[in-house]
Amino acid sequence: MPDKKRKKKKILNTTRWSLISMMNKLDSSESRQLREELFRDYWRPIHIFFKNKGLDSDTAQDMTQDFFYKSIIDNDLFGKASKDKGKFRSLLVRALNNFYVSQKRYNSSTLRKPENIIFNSSNLDKVEAKDNEKDVKHFNHAWIQTILENVSERLKKHYLNSGKGYCWEAFNLRVVEPIISQKEAPGICEICQKIGISDENKVSNYIYQVKQKYQKELRNHIREYVNTEKEVSEELTDFSIFLQNLTN
């Protein structure tokens, strides 16, 4: 029993936020893996944030790379952050606004730093940048889509590897694809025909089972970036509102 408790405590103490905060202290392979995961999870939301500032796609892409490596990696943004300052996503949006304003001021200045000096973003907290409601909305939508896709891909692999791909396919046809395409979900009878299973009750049960697992995986994923169970519920509420907006 004591071993189980210690194991559980260790898992709780190594959430994504905790790992990010000590990224520069991890060994090279762990740090590289974590950076790759962060880049995958946040590339699109960050890119969309800068595009909504009026930047063209290439410039927004350059800004995304600059922000990721100069602020998150080189300046250890999250390692210097405190959890009590708010949720991971909120902190990221504030940092993006500050970075954009700081870079804009830098680019418009008549004084230029030598090219071989990396832009120092250590004063980002001193820049007074207000969150633009439209920017935050687009970022949040892109972030939510990315998280949903990551959870979907993880579950898809799970069911394929366990020889139950038909369960995922039924859920995908009934829930995931309609959300993405913003179209009405097909009926159970139609799904039965597409996956080659005639028993509608079985297919309905498959969909329900995957839905339950999906909700659990989503909650676990969200938990990695927040501080309390209350914030998990708040994040799930944001997800629910987003999904309703897509399907209404």
Side-chain angles (χ1 to χ4, degrees), residues 60-199:
Q61 181 170 320
D62 291 339
M63 284 283 281
T64 300
Q65 291 179 326
D66 285 345
F67 174 78
F68 190 85
Y69 288 104
K70 294 175 182 178
S71 289
I72 296 181
I73 304 301
D74 292 340
N75 196 45
D76 193 21
L77 175 66
F78 298 116
K80 297 175 181 178
S82 172
K83 286 187 177 184
D84 58 15
K85 290 183 178 180
K87 292 181 290 187
F88 181 94
R89 178 158 54 108
S90 299
L91 173 63
L92 190 57
V93 171
R94 289 198 300 271
L96 281 166
N97 265 316
N98 289 337
F99 183 82
Y100 174 77
V101 171
S102 184
Q103 285 289 70
K104 189 175 181 180
R105 289 177 182 174
Y106 170 79
N107 292 332
S108 63
S109 174
T110 55
L111 298 176
R112 292 292 183 266
K113 296 182 180 181
E115 292 184 1
N116 62 335
I117 296 181
I118 295 177
F119 171 73
N120 183 6
S121 58
S122 60
N123 64 341
L124 287 181
D125 290 338
K126 300 177 183 178
V127 180
E128 295 182 0
K130 294 183 179 180
D131 293 349
N132 180 288
E133 185 176 344
K134 183 179 178 181
D135 294 336
V136 174
K137 179 179 178 181
H138 285 295
F139 176 86
N140 288 343
H141 280 196
W143 182 82
I144 289 172
Q145 283 182 304
T146 300
I147 296 301
L148 291 175
E149 288 176 3
N150 290 342
V151 173
S152 295
E153 187 62 27
R154 190 179 305 165
L155 283 183
K156 179 181 179 180
K157 289 181 179 179
H158 166 76
Y159 281 101
L160 288 176
N161 291 338
S162 62
K164 297 181 178 180
Y166 51 87
C167 293
W168 169 258
E169 186 59 25
F171 176 77
N172 184 55
L173 290 169
R174 181 69 171 178
V175 179
V176 180
E177 287 189 0
I179 290 175
I180 294 174
S181 63
Q182 300 185 44
K183 295 181 179 179
E184 187 176 350
I188 299 298
C189 181
E190 182 180 345
I191 294 175
C192 287
Q193 293 175 354
K194 288 185 176 181
I195 66 175
I197 298 177
S198 59
D199 192 323

Side-chain angles (χ1 to χ4, degrees), residues 230-241:
K230 180 182 178 182
E231 289 181 353
V232 173
S233 298
E234 291 172 353
E235 289 286 274
L236 286 172
T237 297
D238 288 346
F239 273 71
S240 298
I241 293 173

Side-chain angles (χ1 to χ4, degrees), residues 18 21 30 38 56 79 90 130 149 154 170 198 201 205 219 231 234:
S18 299
S21 68
E30 290 176 323
L38 282 174
D56 61 65
S90 299
K130 294 183 179 180
E149 288 176 3
R154 190 179 305 165
S198 59
N201 288 330
N205 286 332
R219 178 176 285 273
E231 289 181 353
E234 291 172 353

